[in-house]
Amino acid sequence: MSTVHVIDHPLIQHKLSIIRDRNTGSKEFRELVEEVAMLMAYEVTRDFPLEEVEVETPVATARCKMMAGKKIALIPILRAGLGMTGGILKLIPTAKVGHIGVYRDPETLQPIEYYCKLPADINDRDLIVIDPMLATGGSAVAGIQFLKQRGANQIRLMCLIAAPEGIEHVQAKHPDVDIYVAAVDNRLNSHGYIVPGLGDAGDRLFGTK
Ligand code: PRP
Ligand code: URA
């Protein structure tokens, strides 16, 4: 069974509360989603390996540590995953970015894939799938499935808010995928929205409602 990491750092919780607020406009919402994603990336990459290097300081040779040439790719699930991408790239600027387009059919809540463009070597990379919302889990389960079908084998999932139902779904279908979230909320409502959640992440990011 995979591990669920709840990243409850005070800075993340503070910013998430502002993100949830219905009175927070798109500009601030976008900025905060990016900031929280950047802060979360710090924890999501905590177990990535380091290697020893020698660095000439102005004073002497120092034995230091650097990331061990790890190949990383971020996979935002369109659209809302895009809102988190820039923040993570600020910390990991060499990461490649692949895109998967999945939307939830509003009637059936089933995920429909409409776009996929990935780095050629995804089987060689650590993939971080990003999406602010894990509700029924349908989109994440489908997105991860598409990645596995195309050869991916090292995948972790990063979301801002998850419903217990979404976590269960991902764990059942992809027990090898660890999940990183800033909050686990109470439940889903009858429209598949997370309660209390933050509403529709894509609409709030891009001002489409
Ligand atoms: C939202 C969200 C997730 C999905 C979560 O996307 O960004 O991708 O719903 O719901 P699920 O866990 O029940 O699948 P949406 O389908 O609204 O598309 P959008 O990002 O284009 O707005
Ligand atoms: N997608 C969202 O954007 N919000 C939810 O609460 C559930 C799915």
Side-chain angles (χ1 to χ4, degrees), residues 46-55 62-71:
R46 178 174 280 284
D47 62 342
F48 282 7
L50 292 168
E51 64 188 3
E52 293 227 340
V53 294
E54 284 194 351
V55 172
R63 291 178 71 77
C64 304
K65 293 192 163 80
M66 293 184 86
M67 303 263 288
K70 197 102 182 133
K71 293 164 97 184

Side-chain angles (χ1 to χ4, degrees), residues 77-82 102-106 109-112 114 130-141 163 166 169-170 188 191-194 199-206 208:
I77 297 185
L78 305 180
R79 283 175 304 171
L82 288 176
V102 182
Y103 72 90
R104 277 199 323 182
D105 182 289
L109 302 185
Q110 288 306 302
I112 318 277
Y114 63 90
I130 50 186
D131 192 332
M133 310 305 280
L134 181 62
T136 64
S139 305
V141 164
H169 192 180
V170 173
L188 296 177
H191 303 289
Y193 276 83
I194 299 176
D200 189 305
D203 284 343
R204 293 196 64 190
L205 277 167
F206 300 113
T208 42

Side-chain angles (χ1 to χ4, degrees), residues 33-48:
V33 166
E34 203 175 298
E35 280 177 24
V36 169
M38 181 165 62
L39 293 168
M40 289 181 74
Y42 178 83
E43 278 302 323
V44 174
T45 55
R46 178 174 280 284
D47 62 342
F48 282 7

Side-chain angles (χ1 to χ4, degrees), residues 9-21:
H9 190 285
L11 280 171
I12 292 177
Q13 295 307 311
H14 178 91
K15 289 172 191 289
L16 186 60
S17 302
I18 304 171
I19 289 172
R20 287 181 188 274
D21 189 331

Side-chain angles (χ1 to χ4, degrees), residues 116-135:
C116 185
K117 181 79 181 171
L118 302 171
D121 55 354
I122 56 162
N123 54 331
D124 248 3
R125 290 182 179 270
D126 271 291
L127 306 185
I128 306 175
V129 174
I130 50 186
D131 192 332
M133 310 305 280
L134 181 62

